[in-house]
């Protein structure tokens, strides 16, 4: 661990302990409500006024369900589907069918910052107040992104009421987790919040253990009635064994037990680290206008050794005897640094009878990616290699450490930097009390440099890109509106073509129509939406230059969504999401990873045609104390599991149960049962040689104390 990282972590832990002892014993916990807080890029619009779809999960629901990872939270949105997570090393997801570059983790926003890129491992949800699924193209405000939408994480903020909470959780497969949350009032104008977690557990997969820990600190400084400063710090480390899952040749998902691990325990765990800072200043110029400026820095590291199945038929002995698995040995060392700055002005202007809600700003994003990727592959089967040369393992009777791992040789050693400076403006115009028009756009100046240290080539690329948006909203009544929106987007592609030049940016355009209702005294929000998106300049194999790639691929995604969120009669809470999706290839091409032909009309990888999720909970009074209980269910349709084939992952339904009982004002106990009926299921795959099984039934019990 680097000295700076150690010092940062120790200082935050020391502050946390000091804050804990400064909290008064008779203080009470405060439920933090931040839904009314205006965020950068977003403006201040009600559910019915906004020409876009939003689905969110607050901390109460997240804590009730007992999930601790971002991917598991996003499972509760039918618009989001799991993608290739590189053996569980990162979060990877698609929104409305589009998922970006499968060789890097899916990016996300943190407090509106485009600052969630890098190799920090699967994101722990500790310290997160709210997870927002922002659907549809957002490039006109945020800049780079996918046409399906963006994920925004809103962190927990300090309040001016001292409080502390500690929670201890134990469960199946030696699951152990300790989490603390300390809110301290440091002065009349300064408050701090310190959150830390430690978790370790065994997996249902043989030999697999994981361990992670992290600390988060945030401070608020009320400089005056008009000026507020926010600072957020994040540090986390994880140890995650690389695990490609099981093999399902010819679609036989009973070919081997889902518990069997086909890697090498001797490779040790993959280690990841994240270290980040955010500083935000909000200044109210007057009652109508607010200035927001911010800085962010985030560093991540990933180091890994792995032994996983070779998917090339020319090397894979399993295709011959269905028991001897040819493996490759890989080594990864990835480092990233990201710098973000933003300056934004938002407010209202009235001209005659017309009201304008204006957002105008400029931001800067620099992303540095240092990649060292090495591979040792077996010789072709035509040379009659030995099992030792194949680095083979018997999948039915695995003997770990049987063969000496081959030494990986460099495949990619590359430094790649991206710069983006953007200017954006949005004006939502209230032409009448019922009819509003949103118009805006963003102009980006983009630059990318690539230093290929193997081919000894360097490339410089400069681009300019304009991303327009147009939205219409007509509110028929106090509880019903119709909307439509159009937007375009982009994302720089990593890598170079056969000439050593950078690829053209990935581009997209989307259109959406929807209807929104606010019912039951505005306690229940419903959104029904239809969308149609197209993406071009997707990286595929260059058929004219074998071994290289080209940005010529195309895909489309069309679908219908229904989201229902809020309170039903009898104080029941509901969170329901349904998506019907037709996501497919729109142009014949060759896949870069497997080298197989992809035809127009083929399904996109890991995208279900139908998906649904529901969470229902109810409040009760038992012996005078509060009891909440609920049930959640997720349905995922069959999905294409390997490009260029008819290999599909089977559909599945999983059910979760959760309950919490307040023993006293300070003590409470919780229990969750994930996959309560112990359904065998498979969440995602890249090929029939790399299939990720879902977790069997898991029981968690926790207790928390507030003071």
């Amino acid at each position: 661990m680097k000295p700076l990282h150690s010092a940062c972590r120790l200082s935050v832990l020391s502050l946390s302990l000091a804050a804990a002892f400064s909290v008064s014993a008779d203080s009470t916990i405060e439920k933090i409500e931040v839904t009314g807080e205006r965020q950068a890029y977003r403006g201040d619009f009600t559910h019915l006024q906004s020409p876009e779809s939003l689905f969110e999960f607050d901390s109460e629901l997240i804590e009730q369900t007992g999930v601790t990872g971002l991917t598991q939270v996003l499972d509760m949105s039918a618009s989001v589907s799991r993608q290739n997570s590189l053996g569980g090393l990162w979060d990877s997801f698609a929104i409305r069918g589009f998922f970006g570059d499968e060789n890097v983790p899916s990016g996300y926003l943190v407090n509106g910052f485009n600052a969630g890129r890098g190799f920090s491992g699967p994101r722990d949800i500790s310290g997160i107040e709210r997870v927002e699924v922002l659907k549809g193209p957002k490039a006109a405000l945020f800049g780079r992104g996918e046409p399906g939408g963006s994920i925004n994480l809103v962190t927990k903020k300090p309040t001016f009421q001292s409080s502390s909470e500690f929670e201890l959780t134990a469960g199946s497969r030696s699951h152990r987790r300790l989490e603390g949350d300390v809110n301290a009032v440091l002065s009349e104008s300064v408050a701090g919040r310190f959150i830390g977690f430690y978790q370790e557990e065994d997996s249902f997969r043989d030999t697999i253990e994981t361990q992670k820990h992290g600390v988060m600190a945030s401070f608020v400084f009320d400089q005056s009635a008009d000026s507020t400063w926010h600072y957020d710090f994040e540090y986390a480390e994880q140890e995650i064994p690389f695990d490609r899952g099981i093999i399902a040749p010819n679609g036989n998902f009973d070919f081997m037990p889902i518990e069997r691990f086909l890697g090498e325990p001797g490779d040790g765990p993959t280690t990841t680290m994240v270290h980040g800072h955010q500083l935000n200043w909000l200044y109210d110029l007057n009652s109508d206008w607010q200035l927001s400026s911010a800085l962010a820095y985030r560093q991540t590291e990933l180091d890994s050794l792995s032994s996983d199945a070779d998917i090339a038929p020319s090397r894979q002995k399993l295709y011959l005897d269905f028991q001897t698995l040819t493996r490759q040995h890989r080594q990864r060392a990835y480092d990233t640094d990201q710098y973000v700055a933003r300056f934004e002005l938002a407010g209202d202007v009235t001209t005659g009878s017309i009201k304008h809600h204006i957002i105008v700003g400029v931001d800067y994003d620099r992303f540095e990616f240092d990649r060292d990727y090495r591979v040792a592959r077996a010789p072709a089967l035509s040379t009659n290699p030995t099992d030792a040369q194949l680095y083979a393992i018997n999948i039915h009777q695995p003997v770990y450490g049987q063969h000496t791992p081959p030494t990986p040789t460099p495949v990619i050693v590359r430094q790649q930097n991206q710069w983006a400076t953007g200017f954006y403006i949005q004006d939502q115009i209230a032409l009448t009390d019922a009819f509003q028009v949103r118009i805006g756009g963003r102009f980006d100046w983009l630059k990318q440099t690539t230093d290929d240290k193997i081919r000894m080539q360097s490339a410089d690329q400069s681009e300019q890109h304009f991303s327009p948006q147009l939205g219409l909203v007509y509110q028929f009544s106090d509880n019903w509106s119709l909307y439509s929106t159009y937007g375009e987007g982009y994302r720089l592609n990593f890598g170079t073509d056969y000439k050593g030049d950078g690829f053209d940016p990935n581009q997209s355009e989307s259109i959406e129509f929807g209807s929104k209702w606010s019912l039951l005294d505005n306690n229940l929000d419903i959104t029904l939406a239809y969308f149609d998106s197209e993406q071009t300049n997707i990286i595929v194999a260059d058929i004219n230059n074998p071994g290289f790639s080209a940005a010529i691929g195309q895909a489309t995604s069309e679908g219908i969504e229904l989201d229902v969120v809020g309170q039903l009669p009898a104080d029941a809470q509901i969170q329901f999401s349904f998506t019907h999706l037709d996501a497919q290839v729109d142009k014949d091409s060759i896949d870069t990873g497997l080298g197989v032909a992809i035809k127009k009309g083929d399904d996109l990888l890991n995208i279900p045609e139908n998906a649904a999720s529901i969470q229902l909970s109810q409040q009760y009074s038992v012996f005078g104390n509060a009891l909440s209980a609920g049930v959640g269910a997720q349905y995922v349709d069959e999905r294409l599991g390997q490009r260029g084939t008819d290999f599909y992952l089977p559909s599945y339904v999983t059910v979760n149960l959760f309950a919490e009982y307040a023993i006293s004002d300070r003590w409470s106990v919780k229990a969750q049962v994930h996959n309560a009926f112990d359904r065998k299921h498979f969440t995602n795959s890249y090929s029939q040689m790399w299939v990720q099984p879902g977790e069997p039934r898991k029981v968690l019990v926790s207790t928390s104390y507030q003071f």
Side-chain angles (χ1 to χ4, degrees):
M1 186 185 300
K2 295 182 179 180
L4 173 62
H5 302 157
S6 301
C8 289
R9 192 176 70 172
L10 289 172
S11 63
V12 173
L13 287 172
S14 300
L15 285 170
S16 300
L17 290 172
F21 285 109
S22 71
V23 175
S24 172
D26 60 356
S27 61
T28 58
I29 194 73
E30 178 178 335
K31 296 294 183 181
I32 304 173
E33 178 64 42
V34 295
T35 56
E37 178 182 313
R38 192 193 70 81
Q39 294 186 61
Y41 302 105
R42 298 279 296 279
D44 187 12
F45 302 102
T46 67
H47 169 66
L48 297 180
Q49 292 174 341
S50 180
E52 58 192 348
S53 181
L54 165 67
F55 196 66
E56 65 181 36
F57 309 94
D58 61 20
S59 58
E60 181 178 357
L61 176 65
I62 294 171
E63 292 168 3
Q64 281 181 337
T65 56
V67 297
T68 58
L70 176 60
T71 294
Q72 290 71 35
V73 173
L74 296 178
D75 284 342
M76 294 187 282
S77 171
S79 303
V80 183
S81 52
R82 294 198 191 192
Q83 294 298 304
N84 173 34
S85 62
L86 195 71
L89 301 190
W90 58 54
D91 295 306
S92 183
F93 48 82
I95 306 175
R96 290 181 170 177
F98 290 122
F99 52 84
D101 188 338
E102 64 187 4
N103 295 308
V104 297
S106 297
Y108 49 82
L109 309 170
V110 181
N111 298 322
F113 276 97
N114 196 359
R117 304 170 70 183
F119 298 87
S120 55
R123 173 79 190 222
D124 192 273
I125 214 67
S126 176
I128 301 302
E129 179 67 30
R130 192 166 70 255
V131 177
E132 301 174 332
V133 183
L134 311 175
K135 301 180 188 179
K138 296 294 179 286
L141 289 178
F142 296 124
R144 62 173 296 278
E146 298 301 315
S150 302
I151 303 299
N152 183 39
L153 309 183
V154 181
T155 59
K156 294 180 177 179
K157 299 292 191 293
T159 66
F160 285 90
Q161 182 173 351
S162 295
S163 59
S164 296
E165 180 175 5
F166 290 89
E167 182 171 87
L168 179 63
T169 303
S172 305
R173 294 178 280 280
S174 301
H175 178 101
R176 299 175 294 275
R177 180 180 175 94
L178 175 63
E179 185 171 345
D181 183 349
V182 177
N183 189 90
V185 178
L186 304 178
S187 73
E188 291 185 356
S189 58
V190 179
R193 191 163 186 175
F194 312 90
I195 298 172
F197 71 91
Y198 176 87
Q199 179 177 316
E200 59 181 23
E201 64 181 336
D202 297 336
S203 170
F204 69 97
R205 305 271 295 149
D206 294 339
T207 80
I208 299 295
E209 299 176 356
T210 62
Q211 184 273 327
K212 59 182 180 178
H213 59 270
V215 290
M216 285 134 283
S218 60
F219 296 88
V220 58
F221 170 41
D222 283 345
Q223 185 178 20
S224 68
D226 300 321
S227 176
T228 302
W229 295 80
H230 288 278
Y231 167 75
D232 289 272
F233 170 85
E234 172 195 7
Y235 187 91
E237 290 184 355
Q238 300 190 55
E239 294 183 355
I240 319 160
F242 187 99
D243 182 11
R244 284 291 192 185
I246 68 162
I247 295 168
N250 302 316
N252 181 4
F253 292 94
D254 295 320
F255 180 69
M256 60 181 293
I258 64 171
E259 294 82 9
R260 186 157 298 155
F261 177 59
L262 300 176
E264 277 294 335
D267 288 335
T270 294
T271 60
T272 66
M273 183 281 302
V274 58
H275 165 222
H277 305 265
Q278 287 189 8
L279 179 65
N280 188 23
W281 179 48
L282 298 175
Y283 184 74
D284 292 327
L285 299 173
N286 54 42
S287 59
D288 293 323
W289 287 88
Q290 186 177 62
L291 172 67
S292 171
S293 58
L295 298 171
Y297 167 74
R298 193 171 197 253
Q299 179 190 14
T300 71
E301 297 177 2
L302 182 148
D303 293 284
S304 171
L305 276 175
S306 68
S307 303
D308 47 318
D310 197 310
I311 58 179
S314 63
R315 297 181 177 90
Q316 187 47 257
K317 190 174 180 179
L318 185 81
Y319 293 132
L320 300 180
D321 65 8
F322 288 95
Q323 68 175 12
T324 307
L325 180 70
T326 303
R327 297 181 301 177
Q328 52 192 331
H329 198 220
R330 305 198 203 192
Q331 181 178 359
R332 299 171 179 86
Y334 299 163
D335 296 280
T336 69
D337 291 276
Q338 185 175 15
Y339 307 84
V340 181
R342 184 191 70 240
F343 184 90
E344 179 183 288
L345 191 63
D348 298 328
V349 173
T350 301
T351 57
S353 60
I354 298 177
K355 184 176 182 179
H356 301 259
H357 188 94
I358 299 173
I359 302 173
V360 59
V362 61
D363 59 24
Y364 170 83
D365 184 344
R366 177 176 177 177
F367 184 68
E368 301 175 352
F369 179 14
D370 189 359
R371 183 179 186 184
D372 189 321
Y373 171 57
R374 301 167 186 249
V375 180
R377 302 189 73 178
L381 296 176
S382 59
T383 65
N384 296 316
T386 65
D387 284 356
Q389 290 176 305
L390 296 175
Y391 191 37
I393 191 170
N394 188 307
I395 65 170
H396 300 302
Q397 294 180 324
V399 178
Y400 302 118
Q402 185 176 15
H403 303 300
T404 301
T407 302
T409 58
V411 175
I412 299 175
V413 181
R414 185 170 63 202
Q415 173 69 44
Q416 193 148 358
N417 299 331
Q418 294 180 346
W419 293 264
T421 301
F423 171 78
Y424 57 93
I425 185 169
Q426 174 183 288
D427 186 6
Q428 182 148 334
I429 309 167
L431 298 175
T432 68
D433 290 341
F435 184 48
Q436 298 190 37
V437 177
R438 176 180 291 185
I439 186 169
R442 177 185 172 103
F443 196 89
D444 279 289
W445 293 265
L446 311 169
K447 181 180 178 181
Q448 182 169 243
T449 62
T450 302
D451 182 11
D452 190 328
K453 299 178 183 179
I454 295 179
R455 297 166 63 187
M456 302 303 291
Q457 290 182 341
S458 297
D460 292 337
Q461 179 182 7
S462 296
E463 303 280 348
Q464 295 181 1
H465 191 85
F466 178 68
S467 306
Q469 67 162 326
L470 175 65
L472 305 173
V473 180
Y474 191 86
Q475 191 165 337
F476 286 91
S477 66
D478 292 340
N479 59 7
W480 176 36
S481 68
L482 294 177
Y483 74 91
S484 65
T485 186
Y486 170 83
E488 298 180 9
Y490 78 95
R491 169 177 46 81
L492 285 176
N493 283 312
F494 280 114
T496 56
D497 61 15
Y498 77 100
K499 296 179 181 179
D501 297 330
F503 298 114
D504 290 336
N506 180 281
Q507 298 189 38
S508 61
E509 58 179 333
S510 304
I511 190 168
E512 181 175 339
F513 302 95
S515 182
K516 297 182 178 183
W517 296 267
S518 288
L519 306 177
L520 303 178
D521 294 329
N522 297 322
N523 288 318
L524 188 71
D525 289 337
I526 302 174
T527 303
L528 177 65
Y530 164 82
F531 57 89
D532 190 354
S533 303
E534 180 182 31
Q535 193 173 57
T536 58
N537 294 346
I538 299 171
I539 301 298
V540 295
D542 187 343
I543 58 174
N544 297 318
N545 299 280
F548 294 93
S549 300
I552 58 173
Q554 296 182 17
T556 58
S557 177
E558 179 183 10
I560 297 174
E561 294 172 332
L562 175 63
D563 294 332
V564 181
V565 179
Q567 184 173 308
L568 298 172
D571 293 331
Q573 300 290 325
I574 184 172
Q575 194 109 358
F576 173 77
S577 175
F578 168 79
T579 298
H580 172 78
L581 189 61
D582 181 13
Q584 58 183 263
V585 175
D586 203 38
K587 181 181 178 181
D588 292 355
S589 58
I590 303 295
D591 174 65
T592 55
L594 302 176
V596 297
I598 305 173
K599 299 296 185 181
K600 180 178 180 179
D602 285 358
D603 289 341
L604 298 186
L605 191 68
N606 289 307
I607 306 299
E609 182 177 3
N610 297 288
S613 175
I614 188 170
Q615 312 295 320
L616 282 171
S617 62
Q618 178 75 57
Q619 299 287 333
Y620 305 92
S621 178
V622 177
F623 302 116
N625 294 325
L627 169 69
S628 63
V631 59
Q634 182 190 15
Y635 168 75
V636 179
D637 214 342
E638 65 174 9
R639 295 131 287 143
L640 180 67
Q642 180 176 325
R643 296 185 182 98
T645 71
D646 59 358
F647 175 72
Y648 277 77
L649 302 180
S651 62
Y652 65 87
V653 176
T654 56
V655 175
N656 303 324
L657 305 174
F658 51 90
E660 179 176 7
Y661 181 66
I663 299 175
S664 68
D665 292 340
R666 298 183 178 181
W667 278 106
S668 65
V669 293
K670 291 188 291 187
Q672 297 99 18
V673 184
H674 299 161
N675 192 6
F677 298 107
D678 203 21
R679 298 298 187 191
K680 183 178 180 180
H681 63 290
F682 303 91
T683 58
N684 60 285
S685 71
Y686 184 75
S687 79
Q688 53 190 308
M689 306 296 289
W690 297 344
V691 180
Q692 291 292 341
E695 189 169 23
R697 182 190 295 119
K698 184 176 185 178
V699 179
L700 298 175
V701 178
S702 61
T703 180
S704 62
Y705 183 72
Q706 302 173 356
F707 57 93

